[in-house]
Amino acid sequence: MNRTSPNIPMAPMWPSLPPPPASRPGPRWSVPGEAQCVAWWDRFEMPEHIRAHSRGVAQVACFVAEAGHRRGLGVDVETVFASALLHDLAKIYCIKHGGNHSQLGGAWAMALTGNPVLSQGVMHHVYWPFEVDVARFFTPLAVLYADKRVSHDRIVHIEDRFGDLLDRYGKTPEIRERIHTTNRQAKGVEDAFSRLLEIDLNAHDFDRGRLVD
């Protein structure tokens, strides 16, 4: 693998795998606060631009989680927030040394926190290989969705995010197809959350709490 690979997913098909358990936090699972997440950013030498992106993703994910909590969906907002802050924990390591940053980051998150729900959000923030059921798998799909709404450090529409990926990384037909596949899934996740939460997420900027044109 090219060491500067953006880790665009292969959109795997794993029909033999059962779906994971529903993403509900357990009473004994550790949920780190923001200060602890930042300390881990320091430990793993996360550069400032990835920190800025992670804060933007956490902002969007927290908005979605709070909306779910208000609707009585049993969402643990702190878990979603921490998972979003840590979703790119392994990004700089994989840029330097190769590897899949979501898989490695998920393993690191599990080792650090012992929290499988939080780690699931890190592990699957690029692509969700199971049925898109946002009520059952709220945490990882909220983190995945939030990641698709933040380009660098700016909150944008999904099409703008993927347009940027195509411009920067769409060098071959195979890579472009991976990007298009991930784009289609992200739109499906957005539509599913919008229906569940009764909010037009596509029209939200998540910054000033208002709709955008």
Side-chain angles (χ1 to χ4, degrees):
M1 176 182 290
N2 189 314
R3 292 192 175 185
T4 60
S5 166
N7 290 311
I8 298 297
M10 286 297 295
M13 298 298 291
W14 299 330
S16 62
L17 286 181
S23 56
R24 303 298 187 198
R28 298 178 182 174
W29 293 342
S30 171
V31 180
E34 183 174 1
Q36 179 61 75
C37 292
V38 171
W40 286 330
W41 289 356
D42 294 339
R43 175 178 172 183
F44 291 98
E45 301 180 343
M46 182 184 289
E48 187 54 44
H49 69 283
I50 299 179
R51 296 180 187 224
H53 169 75
S54 298
R55 290 191 186 280
V57 172
Q59 181 176 334
V60 174
C62 196
F63 176 96
V64 174
E66 288 173 345
H69 181 73
R70 287 194 298 270
R71 295 189 65 82
L73 297 175
V75 179
D76 189 90
V77 177
E78 288 76 16
T79 297
V80 175
F81 182 68
S83 184
L85 285 176
L86 296 176
H87 81 282
D88 270 349
L89 188 63
K91 188 70 174 285
I92 193 64
Y93 179 92
C94 290
I95 289 174
K96 291 180 178 179
H97 304 291
N100 185 303
H101 79 283
S102 58
Q103 293 180 0
L104 181 60
W108 284 357
M110 188 64 189
L112 291 166
T113 70
N115 186 326
V117 175
L118 184 156
S119 304
Q120 193 179 70
V122 178
M123 172 76 174
H124 292 300
H125 78 267
V126 175
Y127 185 82
W128 180 250
F130 307 102
E131 177 188 4
V132 173
D133 184 339
V134 295
R136 185 179 182 192
F137 305 114
F138 198 105
T139 294
L141 290 173
V143 176
L144 179 151
Y145 172 66
D147 181 58
K148 305 307 181 285
R149 289 298 304 267
V150 180
S151 180
H152 306 291
D153 61 349
R154 295 185 304 112
I155 297 173
V156 299
H157 293 292
I158 286 175
E159 293 302 331
D160 296 328
R161 169 84 152 96
F162 282 92
D164 175 65
L165 290 176
L166 282 169
D167 289 343
R168 289 190 292 144
Y169 302 120
K171 308 303 183 185
T172 68
E174 291 79 9
I175 292 176
R176 288 194 293 273
E177 180 53 33
R178 295 175 204 168
I179 294 172
H180 285 307
T181 298
T182 311
N183 183 14
R184 287 191 293 270
Q185 183 181 78
K187 289 296 295 181
V189 171
E190 179 175 73
D191 291 344
F193 270 127
S194 293
R195 290 191 301 270
L196 179 68
L197 303 175
E198 298 183 358
I199 299 172
D200 184 358
L201 292 176
N202 180 61
H204 248 282
D205 64 6
F206 304 100
D207 186 23
R208 294 172 293 278
R210 62 176 176 82
L211 300 180
V212 295
D213 297 329

